[in-house]
């Protein structure tokens, strides 16, 4: 079952019949009756979830034959229906490559060395280099393309030098399952040391270059332990184990390099432990014991700690200061107060000052304090939607390096002087033929939902429109530069993001107003956004293609059940659509972690009934649905492939429209997709264009 050329078994061919180009596969109904909290439901397609699903995540070859044959049949049908769109796919892929810029990060100076990362235009993997300051010859530290050669999939993360400049380390995933091996290169000898293979991907090398702290990924895919080992090899020693399955665990190094931070967290609670990097074998010490509902993170700043927290009702977070010797809450003093609607989301410390990032309506503002802690006026940006990311910087530097991008501006790198108070950088709206702006939709309860809109300046009037969104876990939808969206807009489309509640674009209340029993606000916000885009003349009813990734798939799937008439089509990329069944599986690694967000349908009747009322799979009914495309991967250990498989089967069985319901499943790759992301995007966007144009497809009965 490869990406474009399928070798089908006889059983798979039998499922789709001889008229494979137009006849959809039939998914058998094997009713399973489920009794839960006095409620009863019947799941006709529960068999698509393998009994050995955790083993299948690690080894797709263990997939049961009947499920494998069904997925192969679905791939064959999807390929046959979309085969006439292959020229469009190729054209889109070419445009995506053309619009993908060459990315070269600015040099990062650490001691006597300067480090740089470059990604050629159209390339998939970057390369890392260093040179001696000033003007020494450049040497290659890591060639991403060479590491990827011969592999079906490769992702490299967290690549960078050790603080002493002697080593270069990175983490690799070569399956798409987000299970990483850590590698360390001794720069002078070019020797590569293979580190732990069951890593989550985050790690720390102590400033003396002797010790590696790394996060272990459990068989259930949860980052649950931090170990310590000698960089040059040796046994692992457990530093801390997070035994509560409702928490994730990560490890980072303070900017100054004095402390290793071990952070346990979920969406509502956090806890930090410290290890003195000068005494790496000493036990970790808790900064402040966890209390449900209290989030905090810390950073070491010269001779004290800065603490970012929502404690004591600071819903949108405040910054506190604490002595280095006593960083517990009893010694916190307020430094930057909480301002409702302005969320402090990050901080970065330097010898010469500290930088915080505030979020307002989904956009970032940079605020700098000098070495004495006095805050300067904020540095603002003037595009309607953009993303700022703080980049790795030397603690001793007098400049903050950050990246800036927007839907029409490729990533660029800028810097702020931390010593001299100079005016902040500004940006004007793009003038390169694109219009990027914000609208607002009014929800029934009066909430104003921001909508980011992108279209060509020379295209006027209603047009087919792709409407995306997320609205979950308190994550703000990041309006990054995405060449696939420009390729779509260049073809006369409009692209838009509904910044619905459930995210945090407008502060913590934006998350709380769509959490647990209030979750339906996300879906009605999305529908209200679609309606204002119609009313304001950007599109027409029935010309919207909904696009949702992961929990965004829940968003568009629920909206599809509520208002199928709005859509020309819907795309679910690794969509979270079988929510009631998944949240009712206590063995799923993400279920304990996400109960504070969704609720517990195993223990709480109100949570059960609320989830049952909107779970996309459970609410498919006899309605005239538009065409739907769902994409997934067998090794996706966040949203199991059976969720979109069951959803598509039920849509096909119950829809009264006769429109095609398509499923594409990758064996390689995981939650983020397959090995060739451009091909995946080209397929999805070709589907969107065909759906938006009401194109006649093979086997389509309604156009």
């Amino acid at each position: 079952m490869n990406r474009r050329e399928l070798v089908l078994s006889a059983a798979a061919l039998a499922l789709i019949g001889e008229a494979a180009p137009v006849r959809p596969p039939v998914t058998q109904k094997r009713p399973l009756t489920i009794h839960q909290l006095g409620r009863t439901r019947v799941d006709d397609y529960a068999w698509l979830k393998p009994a050995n699903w955790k083993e299948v995540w690690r080894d797709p070859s263990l997939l049961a034959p009947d499920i494998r044959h069904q997925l192969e049949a679905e791939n064959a049908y999807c390929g046959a229906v979309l085969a006439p769109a292959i020229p469009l796919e190729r054209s889109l892929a070419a445009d995506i490559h053309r619009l993908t810029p060459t990315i070269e990060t600015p040099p990062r100076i650490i001691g006597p060395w300067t480090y740089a990362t470059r990604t050629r235009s159209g390339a998939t993997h970057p390369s890392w280099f260093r040179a001696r300051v000033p003007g020494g010859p450049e040497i290659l530290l890591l060639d991403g393309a060479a590491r990827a050669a011969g592999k079906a999939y490769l992702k490299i993360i967290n690549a960078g030098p050790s603080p002493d400049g002697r080593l270069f380390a990175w983490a690799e995933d070569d399956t798409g399952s987000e299970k990483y091996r850590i590698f360390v290169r001794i720069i002078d000898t070019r020797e590569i040391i293979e580190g732990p293979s069951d890593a989550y991907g985050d790690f720390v090398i102590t400033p003396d270059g002797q010790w590696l702290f790394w996060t272990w990924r459990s068989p259930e895919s949860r980052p649950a332990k931090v170990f310590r080992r000698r960089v040059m090899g040796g046994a692992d020693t457990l530093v801390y184990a997070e035994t509560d399955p409702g928490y994730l665990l990560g490890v980072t190094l303070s900017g100054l390099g004095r402390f290793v931070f071990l952070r346990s967290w979920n969406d509502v609670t956090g806890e930090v432990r410290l290890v003195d990097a000068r005494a790496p074998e000493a036990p970790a010490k808790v900064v402040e014991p966890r209390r449900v509902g209290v989030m905090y993170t810390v950073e070491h700043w010269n001779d004290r700690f800065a603490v970012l927290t929502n404690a004591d009702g600071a819903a949108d977070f405040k910054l506190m200061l604490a002595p280095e010797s006593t960083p517990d809450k009893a010694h916190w003093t307020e430094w930057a107060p909480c301002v409702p609607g302005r969320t402090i989301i990050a901080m970065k410390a330097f010898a010469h000052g500290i930088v915080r990032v505030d979020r307002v309506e989904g956009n970032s503002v940079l605020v700098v304090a000098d070495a004495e802690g006095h805050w300067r006026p904020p540095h603002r940006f003037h595009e309607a939607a953009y993303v700022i990311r703080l980049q790795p910087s030397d603690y001793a530097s007098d400049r903050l390096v950050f990246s800036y991008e927007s839907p029409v501006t490729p990533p660029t790198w800028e810097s702020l002087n931390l010593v001299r108070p100079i005016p902040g950088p500004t940006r004007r709206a793009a003038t390169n033929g694109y219009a990027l702006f914000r609208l607002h939709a009014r929800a029934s309860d009066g909430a104003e939902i921001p909508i980011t809109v992108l279209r060509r300046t020379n295209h006027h009037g209603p047009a087919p429109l792709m409407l995306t969104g997320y609205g979950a876990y308190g994550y703000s939808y990041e309006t990054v530069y995405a060449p696939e969206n420009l390729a779509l807009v260049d073809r006369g489309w409009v692209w838009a993001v509904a910044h619905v509640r459930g995210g945090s674009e407008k502060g913590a209340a934006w998350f709380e107003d769509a959490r647990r029993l209030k979750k339906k606000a996300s879906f009605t916000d999305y529908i209200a956004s679609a309606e204002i885009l119609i009313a304001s003349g950007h599109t027409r009813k029935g010309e919207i293609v909904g696009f949702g990734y992961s929990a965004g798939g829940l968003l568009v799937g629920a909206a599809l059940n509520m208002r199928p008439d709005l859509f020309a089509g819907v795309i679910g990329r690794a969509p979270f659509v079988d929510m009631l069944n998944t949240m009712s599986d206590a063995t799923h690694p993400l279920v304990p972690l996400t109960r504070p967000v969704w609720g517990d349908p195993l223990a709480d009747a109100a949570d059960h009934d609320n989830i049952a009322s909107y779970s996309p799979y459970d609410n498919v009914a006899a309605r005239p649905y538009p065409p739907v495309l769902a994409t997934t991967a067998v090794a996706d250990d966040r949203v199991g492939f059976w969720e979109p498989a069951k959803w598509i089967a039920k849509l096909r069985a119950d829809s009264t429209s006769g429109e095609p319901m398509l499923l594409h499943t990758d064996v390689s790759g995981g939650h983020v997709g397959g090995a060739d992301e451009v091909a995946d995007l080209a397929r999805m966007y070709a589907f969107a264009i065909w759906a938006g144009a009401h194109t006649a497809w093979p086997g389509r009965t309604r156009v």
Side-chain angles (χ1 to χ4, degrees), residues 255-270:
L256 183 56
R258 269 287 314 281
F259 293 95
V260 178
F261 298 137
L262 283 60
R263 181 175 179 238
S264 299
W265 62 279
N266 60 28
D267 290 292
V268 298
T269 306

Side-chain angles (χ1 to χ4, degrees), residues 15 37 59 68 119 124 135 268 334 361 381 399 405 420 429 452 578 600 613 629 653:
L15 281 171
L37 296 180
D59 184 358
R68 175 175 290 276
T119 304
T124 304
V268 298
E334 189 171 272
E361 284 235 343
F381 304 85
R399 291 183 178 274
E405 61 184 300
R420 296 189 303 276
T452 298
D578 189 17
D600 186 355
S613 71
L629 170 64

Side-chain angles (χ1 to χ4, degrees), residues 324-671:
E324 181 180 297
S325 59
T326 54
D328 57 290
K329 186 175 184 293
H331 298 90
W332 294 356
T333 58
E334 189 171 272
W335 181 27
C338 173
V339 177
R342 183 213 67 186
T343 308
I344 306 176
I345 61 173
M347 60 178 170
K348 191 172 183 66
F350 295 83
H352 301 288
I354 199 164
V355 180
R356 76 171 201 253
V357 184
D358 298 350
R359 179 187 291 135
V360 180
E361 284 235 343
N363 291 329
S364 298
V365 176
L366 297 178
V367 189
V368 178
D370 60 25
E372 285 70 45
H374 304 301
W375 294 106
R376 299 176 184 168
H379 298 256
R380 302 181 184 277
F381 304 85
H382 298 299
E383 282 192 281
Y386 56 87
V387 173
I388 287 173
R389 295 191 176 102
L390 305 184
Q391 299 298 306
S393 303
D394 184 15
Y395 185 85
S397 174
D398 62 356
R399 291 183 178 274
L400 165 75
V401 178
F402 63 94
S403 66
Y404 177 99
E405 61 184 300
S406 80
V408 296
T409 304
T412 58
W413 278 261
E414 301 185 14
S415 64
L416 286 178
N417 190 296
L418 301 174
V419 178
R420 296 189 303 276
I422 58 176
T426 61
R427 283 186 174 272
R428 294 174 293 180
T431 58
N432 54 352
Y434 298 103
L436 177 67
F437 53 94
R438 278 274 173 85
L439 296 177
H440 287 81
R442 182 177 292 273
S444 59
D445 62 0
E448 295 283 334
I449 303 108
I451 307 167
T452 298
V453 182
L454 172 66
R455 64 181 303 161
R456 295 289 303 190
T457 56
N458 60 352
H459 291 167
H460 306 289
L465 182 144
M466 179 178 283
L467 180 61
T468 188
Y470 191 75
Y473 305 114
Y475 292 155
S476 180
Y477 189 102
E478 293 196 324
T479 49
V480 298
Y481 178 84
E484 64 272 16
N485 294 333
L486 297 182
L488 187 70
V489 169
D490 286 346
R491 286 167 168 79
W493 277 62
V494 179
W495 179 82
V497 182
H499 297 278
V500 302
R501 282 174 285 187
S504 59
E505 282 88 338
K506 298 179 74 170
W510 208 241
F511 170 47
E512 292 294 336
D513 284 351
R515 188 162 72 92
R516 293 193 75 161
L517 299 180
K518 300 178 181 179
K519 182 57 195 171
K520 288 183 183 176
S522 298
F523 317 137
T524 53
D525 286 358
Y526 185 81
I527 291 170
S529 299
E531 289 177 329
I532 196 63
L533 287 164
I534 295 167
S536 58
H538 292 289
T539 190
R540 299 183 182 90
K541 182 178 177 182
E543 292 192 359
I544 296 172
V545 174
F547 185 103
Y549 169 50
S550 193
L554 168 67
L555 176 69
V556 298
L560 176 65
N561 284 329
M562 297 168 73
R563 289 292 304 278
D565 59 304
L566 289 173
F567 300 99
V570 164
I571 300 168
R573 186 180 189 185
F576 184 24
V577 286
D578 189 17
M579 188 179 182
L580 181 58
N581 283 314
T582 293
M583 292 304 299
S584 298
D585 184 352
T587 69
H588 191 290
L590 294 183
V591 165
L593 178 71
T594 58
R595 282 174 180 153
V597 176
W598 308 117
D600 186 355
L602 288 172
D604 190 305
D607 284 338
H608 177 285
D609 294 347
N610 183 53
I611 293 172
S613 71
Y614 66 74
S615 174
Y617 174 67
D618 294 279
N619 288 278
V620 172
R623 301 185 182 97
Y625 289 99
V628 176
L629 170 64
T631 67
T632 185
V634 175
D636 186 346
D637 61 2
R638 298 193 206 177
V639 179
F641 70 85
W642 53 87
E643 293 204 26
K646 292 169 63 177
W647 184 48
I648 290 298
K650 195 168 187 182
L651 282 166
R652 187 180 293 141
D654 290 359
S655 176
T656 61
S657 68
E659 293 284 21
M661 304 296 164
L662 307 177
L663 174 70
H664 185 273
T665 305
D666 270 307
V667 172
S668 64
H671 190 63

